[in-house]
Amino acid sequence: MNLSTGSYRTKILGLVMAASFIALIIFAFWVSPNDDQQGGAVRLLYIHVPLAISTYVCYIACGIASLVFLIKKKIWWDYIALSTAEIGTIFCGLTLLTGAIWGRPIWNTWWEWGDVRLVTTLILFLLFLGYLALRAMPSSNPNANVRRAAVVAIVATIDIPIINRSVEWWQNRTLHQRSTLVELKIEDWTFFTLVLGFLAFGLLIIWLTIHRFRVAWLAGEIDSLETELALKKRLEESNI
Amino acid sequence: MKQIWQVCLKDLKVELRSRIVIFQVLPFAVLTIILFAFAFEADRAALRDYAPGLFWVTVLLATFLFVLRSFSIEVEAGAIQSLRLSAVKPQYIFFGKALALFIGMFILEVILGVATFFLYDVSVESPSLLIVSAILTTAAIASAATLYGILSANLKARETILPLLMLPVLIPVFLGAIRAFDDALGAVAVNGWAWLSVLGVFAFIYAVFGSFAFGEILEEVE
């Protein structure tokens, strides 16, 4: 059995991703200008915003993969769900961390309860921590645990818009900026660097998912082999 | 409909016989309300202002105990196996159990509400909003809690995993219930009626999704 999690193609993908991150660092620190209002703190947004979008992409992918798993019963859909949930949760934690670091000089606080996206992201983080805790639980019936986790992931994904709307109504305000990206109100180099950030993090999601998927698949194969070996041993013992 | 009612009656009879809710969950809930009063240094104005939030936090904690208790009985006695092998459809089992949970929780909320009324010195400005929002909130919590109850039923660490899974999901309901109660009690000037839509949508989604997902999970419960 090939125990490597990579291949020639993933190595190429990894190199392209590494190059895009180097380019992102160069553009973020040396090419893009300071913001009129935010000053140098704007540079943190080049990773904060792509991280936040990547989190939501991972969680939605996890929800979809879980739903397909429940319908098709193909285990590799569950591997995709697990991989994207783990990656999404790491990204989500980093989103909250970079958001807090950015918020301190800009909003003059580490945390703002009145901000919809901030509170929504925190709740999502907790939801998927629960999902990962469930996945990490030892179980005599792994198949049951996988189904349970799929239901939890679907519920968490369905909850995303409900949580967002309820938090928005709850405080009726947000400190976050409106969609300056869509309305193209930002400087040319700033916009380009942000797009570069999206590209780099998009490639990182794909690269990490492929490797994490392969780890999950190998773990599954090892479990099957161990079961097979145990059965074989039992049969040999009974023949004696 | 008859089967739903039969499952519901079975759960209610089990509760009536064991009296765990009356003798353990309810006193725990009242105790929590009293502890909150100590935490706020018995400040009457603060308690009156935050009564909706404190009331629903207490309900959520009591729900957690209620659900844990309800599904532990099913698993420990092997009753869930019999239920699964019966001709009752999983959807009907889900609605039956959710209905029993709804009735039990609503009774608990009424008693807890009376305790809050006297201990926190609150006044009700809109009884109709209070009742409608309590019904919708309880329906939403009961639907979600039934789903998460079966989900964690035979897990070894269900006492720790259940709140971790259930409580974040219930946050939208919690926010909606607080705002509706804020308006009903006149604590904060908000439109409480608008929040009923959030509570209604949540209850509907969990009732529909829960009824389908319940069968998926029930198949695997040992």
Side-chain angles (χ1 to χ4, degrees):
Chain A
M1 195 197 309
N2 177 17
L3 291 175
S4 167
T5 59
S7 65
Y8 178 72
R9 282 177 189 170
T10 56
K11 279 175 189 162
I12 300 281
L13 181 68
L15 284 173
V16 175
M17 180 202 59
S20 64
F21 268 101
I22 292 167
L24 177 65
I25 290 166
I26 292 168
F27 274 89
F29 284 103
W30 290 287
V31 180
S32 69
N34 274 354
D35 186 73
D36 293 342
Q37 292 170 341
Q38 299 177 34
V42 74
R43 296 173 208 286
L44 203 59
L45 294 185
Y46 301 134
I47 59 163
H48 173 72
V49 179
L51 268 171
I53 302 290
S54 303
T55 300
Y56 283 86
V57 168
C58 285
Y59 285 163
I60 290 167
C62 175
I64 293 169
S66 300
L67 183 66
V68 179
F69 167 74
L70 283 183
I71 296 167
K72 302 243 179 194
K73 316 279 184 210
K74 298 270 185 203
I75 193 68
W76 60 274
W77 281 107
D78 174 63
Y79 295 157
I80 295 177
L82 174 63
S83 312
T84 46
E86 278 184 2
I87 297 162
T89 306
I90 294 167
F91 281 3
C92 195
L94 289 172
T95 304
L96 292 169
L97 185 70
T98 52
I101 296 168
W102 178 82
R104 182 68 188 149
I106 304 300
W107 295 345
N108 202 26
T109 177
W110 296 104
W111 187 262
E112 174 53 52
W113 282 106
D115 191 75
V116 179
R117 290 181 221 176
L118 209 59
V119 180
T120 304
T121 309
L122 176 65
I123 298 169
L124 267 183
F125 183 63
L126 294 171
L127 274 171
F128 277 87
L129 273 188
Y131 170 87
L132 293 178
L134 183 65
R135 296 299 308 237
M137 282 189 70
S139 172
S140 55
N141 186 353
N143 194 32
N145 233 16
V146 167
R147 281 195 194 197
R148 284 191 196 108
V151 171
V152 170
I154 295 167
V155 171
T157 312
I158 294 172
D159 250 16
I160 296 175
I162 305 175
I163 293 170
N164 189 280
R165 183 48 57 93
S166 61
V167 176
E168 194 177 335
W169 281 12
W170 174 56
Q171 282 292 351
N172 202 22
R173 66 199 166 104
T174 183
L175 286 176
H176 256 100
Q177 292 152 262
R178 297 286 170 200
S179 53
T180 45
L181 187 71
V182 179
E183 292 161 18
L184 287 173
K185 280 179 186 168
I186 46 185
E187 300 287 330
D188 288 348
W189 283 119
T190 307
F191 179 72
F192 179 80
T193 314
L194 205 52
V195 172
L196 197 61
F198 285 127
L199 176 77
F201 277 93
L203 291 171
L204 182 63
I205 292 176
I206 298 167
W207 188 77
L208 284 173
T209 306
I210 291 170
H211 284 278
R212 184 62 187 91
F213 173 89
R214 182 104 173 119
V215 170
W217 183 79
L218 283 170
E221 288 296 295
I222 288 167
D223 279 348
S224 307
L225 271 177
E226 279 176 351
T227 315
E228 241 173 68
L229 280 173
L231 273 173
K232 219 175 178 181
K233 208 176 168 188
R234 271 286 170 87
L235 278 172
E236 280 171 8
E237 281 170 3
S238 60
N239 283 339
I240 291 165
Chain B
M1 194 66 200
K2 193 183 167 192
Q3 288 178 326
I4 293 174
W5 186 239
Q6 279 173 338
V7 174
C8 171
L9 274 181
K10 175 197 76 76
D11 275 21
L12 290 177
K13 271 182 191 168
V14 170
E15 280 311 327
L16 277 175
R17 281 178 192 161
S18 63
R19 292 174 186 178
I20 295 282
V21 175
I22 301 292
F23 289 125
Q24 289 178 24
V25 179
L26 185 63
F28 164 77
V30 174
L31 185 65
T32 310
I33 286 282
I34 293 167
L35 285 175
F36 278 138
F38 289 135
F40 280 84
E41 296 186 351
D43 182 342
R44 276 181 184 278
L47 286 171
R48 212 176 295 135
D49 286 349
Y50 298 112
L54 301 177
F55 174 81
W56 284 111
V57 166
T58 311
V59 169
L60 282 186
L61 294 176
T63 305
F64 160 62
L65 289 182
F66 203 158
V67 176
L68 205 61
R69 155 82 191 155
S70 173
F71 283 91
S72 295
I73 294 170
E74 296 282 14
V75 175
E76 281 164 15
I80 201 90
Q81 301 280 18
S82 314
L83 208 56
R84 195 172 59 187
L85 294 172
S86 68
V88 184
K89 282 184 181 174
Q91 283 92 340
Y92 295 163
I93 300 174
F94 172 82
F95 284 119
K97 290 191 89 60
L99 187 60
L101 198 61
F102 175 87
I103 293 169
M105 276 178 60
F106 198 76
I107 293 168
L108 189 132
E109 282 167 25
V110 169
I111 299 168
L112 200 61
V114 172
T116 311
F117 180 81
F118 285 111
L119 294 171
Y120 290 1
D121 195 22
V122 292
S123 57
V124 181
E125 290 195 2
S126 173
S128 51
L129 176 61
L130 193 81
I131 293 165
V132 175
S133 60
I135 290 172
L136 281 175
T137 306
T138 314
I141 296 176
S143 307
T146 307
L147 178 64
Y148 282 96
I150 190 71
L151 217 135
S152 57
N154 63 344
L155 293 173
K156 278 175 190 161
R158 60 175 170 266
E159 293 86 359
T160 45
I161 199 83
L162 181 63
L164 190 60
L165 293 174
M166 197 177 80
L167 294 181
V169 166
L170 290 175
I171 288 174
V173 181
F174 182 62
L175 296 179
I178 291 173
R179 280 294 183 243
F181 265 45
D182 275 341
D183 190 12
L185 300 180
V188 180
V190 287
N191 182 9
W193 290 99
W195 279 94
L196 298 186
S197 60
V198 172
L199 297 173
V201 166
F202 193 93
F204 178 76
I205 288 174
Y206 274 85
V208 174
F209 181 75
S211 65
F212 286 110
F214 194 81
E216 277 288 329
I217 300 162
L218 193 65
E219 272 180 43
E220 302 289 345
V221 176
E222 290 160 356

